[in-house]
Amino acid sequence: MKTHVSLLTAVLVGAGIVSLPAQADNLLSLYHEAVQADTTYLGAQADTRVAREMKPQALARLLPNVSFSGNNFRQTINRPSQTYEIGGQSITYNPPTEKYNTYTYALGVTQPLFRADAYVAWKQSQEVVKGAEADLLWAGQQIGTRVSEAYFKVLLTEANLEVTKAQRDAYLTQLDYAQKAFQTGAGTRTDIDEARSQLDLAAAQTIELQYQLNYARDELKVLVDRPLTPLARLNPDRIQLVSPDPDRLEDWVQKAEEVNPRLNALRASVEAANLQVKKALSGHLPTVDLVAQHVNNQELTFVQSDQYNDKYRGNLYGLRVDVPIFSGGATSSQVRQAGAQLDKARLQLEEGRRAIGLMVRKEFEGVAQGLHWVHAYEQAVKSAEQALASTRKGFMGGTRTTIDIIIAEQNLANAKRDLNRGRCDYVTSRLRLLAMVGELNEAEITRINGWLEEVPK
């Protein structure tokens, strides 16, 4: 996969679509780093590894179980002294200390023949793994959208900051002109106050946007866990504004309901909950095992005053059947509990289906209408620039006032902000829409990355 992406990137660079230096921070490079550094995505990978281990553990309950047990003891016996009367004399006998070994070794094999709960648990583990794999795929889609959203949030804030700074500089120029005009008697105090008011407002907005930019960069930095260099910016001439393909909302909603990774994970959760009900019901069923055992034993036994070294070996095999009769109501309670969990899983699936459908509709409109919005905003900027130029000419001719220029400056700044937002919203909506159907991949991020260019030094 990485080789394919590297080849694709090389082709794009050779075609002149991508012209970024290797050391530049751009969308594709930060995406690659986030995949390796983002804790949320790494946590999803760990969760998947945890879930995968449930499958062999569940299968182990259906396979033969071999066990060995044994003990070896060294025993010491000290018998009490005994006194005998022989020929009128008392004779005391001190028995010697007796030492001997006893041991028991047993090798056993148990093969489950009928364990309904173990079989259902094995089937359930497959659904758990399937759900974890789907969650990991969803996390992969989400890391793409989160990096993209954070990246374009930085670009949007940077662009708005530049607009505000340009607006501030224009107000400063207008204030200087108003002050000079007032000194010569050609202006009014109102012009000065209005220009100063707008200058102060632009200065305050600059401070606020700088704070927002710092925070936006911190949000992106958290995903890659390192400081950022200046980001490559959108080149308006490279942006490819196209409608969604297919162009019917219903097709996207249907596809999302079929293949969305999050919905697939929820479906797996429903099936796992359904199997949990069956596993709880299996608590009423018997279990049957095939058992074989080899025993090697040696021990010392006593019969009256004699002792015998009892040593034997033996084999046993057969069936072991356990039939549950009454467990105090625990099994029935577990069945009811599993049923409630199944109801919850079904409701979560329905909730997820509705939420995904709503998000698909939102992002589809963001792409379908976004390209029209961008074109409209581009025209609005051109119109605002022309209006500002005409207002300045009218001011020089004495038909317009300082306030008219300030209003025209505000209209132009607002139009530029709307255009910046429209472009970034179009890109992020496009990426989120693809994520809804599990198609946000490196190739798409590489394509979007081709719309960027290095910041001029």
Side-chain angles (χ1 to χ4, degrees):
M1 183 64 181
K2 290 185 177 180
T3 303
H4 173 71
V5 173
S6 300
L7 179 60
L8 177 60
T9 304
V11 172
L12 292 174
V13 172
I17 299 176
V18 180
S19 59
L20 298 174
Q23 70 274 14
D25 277 342
N26 56 71
L27 180 61
L28 183 61
S29 65
L30 293 179
Y31 169 74
H32 286 158
E33 291 187 43
V35 169
Q36 301 296 325
D38 179 59
T39 54
T40 301
Y41 184 62
L42 295 178
Q45 292 179 323
D47 287 340
T48 304
R49 293 196 300 270
V50 171
R52 286 170 181 163
E53 294 303 323
M54 296 181 64
K55 192 172 179 179
Q57 292 174 18
L59 181 62
R61 297 184 59 194
L62 297 172
L63 299 179
N65 183 279
V66 180
S67 62
F68 173 82
S69 63
N71 59 71
N72 193 326
F73 299 105
R74 177 69 171 175
Q75 295 188 357
T76 301
I77 298 178
N78 294 312
R79 300 182 183 279
S81 300
Q82 298 180 356
T83 302
Y84 301 94
E85 293 291 336
I86 301 177
Q89 294 183 351
S90 296
I91 299 175
T92 302
Y93 172 69
N94 295 314
T97 299
E98 299 178 8
K99 296 181 180 181
Y100 60 93
N101 292 332
T102 64
Y103 63 84
T104 301
Y105 302 117
L107 179 65
V109 179
T110 301
Q111 171 60 60
L113 297 181
F114 180 77
R115 287 181 176 262
D117 63 327
Y119 177 76
V120 174
W122 177 63
K123 298 290 290 184
Q124 188 181 40
S125 69
Q126 298 179 34
E127 295 300 325
V128 172
V129 173
K130 186 186 301 183
E133 298 283 1
D135 276 332
L136 180 59
L137 179 59
W138 181 240
Q141 301 294 299
Q142 291 301 294
I143 186 62
T145 58
R146 288 193 294 121
V147 170
S148 301
E149 289 171 359
Y151 189 95
F152 286 101
K153 183 179 180 180
V154 173
L155 296 190
L156 177 59
T157 309
E158 287 179 343
N160 288 339
L161 181 59
E162 289 182 359
V163 170
T164 303
K165 286 181 177 180
Q167 192 178 18
R168 180 194 61 189
D169 295 341
Y171 291 148
L172 181 60
T173 301
Q174 193 64 34
L175 175 61
D176 182 64
Y177 185 88
Q179 289 174 336
K180 291 179 179 179
F182 180 73
Q183 292 173 356
T184 60
T188 66
R189 184 69 188 180
T190 302
D191 293 337
I192 296 176
D193 293 340
E194 184 66 25
R196 187 181 301 279
S197 173
Q198 295 301 320
L199 175 61
D200 292 341
L201 178 60
Q205 290 174 341
T206 301
I207 296 174
E208 180 183 1
L209 284 171
Q210 186 61 58
Y211 165 78
Q212 293 177 2
L213 176 59
N214 293 339
Y215 186 75
R217 289 181 65 86
D218 286 341
E219 287 182 312
L220 181 57
K221 182 170 64 176
V222 166
L223 298 177
V224 296
D225 193 30
R226 68 165 177 82
L228 302 176
T229 63
L231 304 183
R233 297 185 179 181
L234 270 176
N235 183 338
D237 297 330
R238 293 180 178 177
I239 299 178
Q240 301 172 7
L241 300 173
V242 295
S243 300
D245 184 22
D247 59 357
R248 293 179 67 251
L249 172 62
E250 293 75 12
D251 294 335
W252 284 91
V253 173
Q254 180 181 357
K255 187 174 183 179
E257 291 183 354
E258 292 174 355
V259 304
N260 180 268
R262 182 55 188 156
L263 291 183
N264 287 337
L266 291 173
R267 290 189 185 98
S269 296
V270 171
E271 186 57 31
N274 185 46
L275 290 170
Q276 182 64 30
V277 174
K278 295 181 179 180
K279 186 166 69 172
L281 285 169
S282 67
H284 295 297
L285 301 178
T287 62
V288 181
D289 298 327
L290 177 64
V291 179
Q293 190 175 45
H294 171 76
V295 179
N296 189 352
N297 182 83
Q298 174 179 291
E299 60 182 347
L300 192 65
T301 60
F302 296 90
V303 178
Q304 294 181 353
S305 60
D306 297 324
Q307 63 183 28
Y308 300 91
N309 188 13
D310 190 5
K311 185 177 182 180
Y312 66 88
R313 295 181 179 179
N315 298 312
L316 64 87
Y317 55 88
L319 296 177
R320 181 174 62 205
V321 179
D322 293 325
V323 181
I325 297 177
F326 181 67
S327 60
T331 301
S332 298
S333 175
Q334 291 170 355
V335 171
R336 294 192 299 269
Q337 183 183 48
Q341 289 291 342
L342 176 59
D343 292 339
K344 179 181 178 181
R346 287 171 174 167
L347 291 173
Q348 288 176 333
L349 173 59
E350 178 61 20
E351 179 185 11
R353 187 189 67 80
R354 296 178 186 180
I356 294 297
L358 181 62
M359 286 188 285
V360 169
R361 288 177 173 84
K362 177 178 179 294
E363 305 309 336
F364 179 87
E365 291 298 329
V367 177
Q369 301 301 325
L371 61 96
H372 301 299
W373 294 340
V374 171
H375 291 319
Y377 293 146
E378 289 173 343
Q379 185 58 46
V381 169
K382 293 178 181 179
S383 299
E385 289 174 341
Q386 182 60 46
L388 176 59
S390 299
T391 302
R392 285 174 175 168
K393 289 181 180 179
F395 179 79
M396 298 302 296
T399 60
R400 292 299 180 96
T401 66
T402 299
I403 296 177
D404 293 330
I405 294 180
I406 290 175
I407 293 175
E409 291 281 3
Q410 290 175 338
N411 291 338
L412 177 58
N414 291 336
K416 288 182 176 180
R417 292 190 186 98
D418 289 339
L419 177 57
N420 294 332
R421 177 174 54 83
R423 287 169 175 164
C424 291
D425 286 350
Y426 171 81
V427 174
T428 53
S429 291
R430 176 171 169 169
L431 294 173
R432 284 194 293 261
L433 181 61
L434 291 175
M436 291 297 105
V437 294
E439 295 182 359
L440 179 55
N441 50 35
E442 284 196 14
E444 182 62 27
I445 293 178
T446 302
R447 184 178 298 109
I448 301 298
N449 198 66
W451 300 354
L452 306 176
E453 64 180 0
E454 184 183 0
V455 180
K457 296 182 180 179

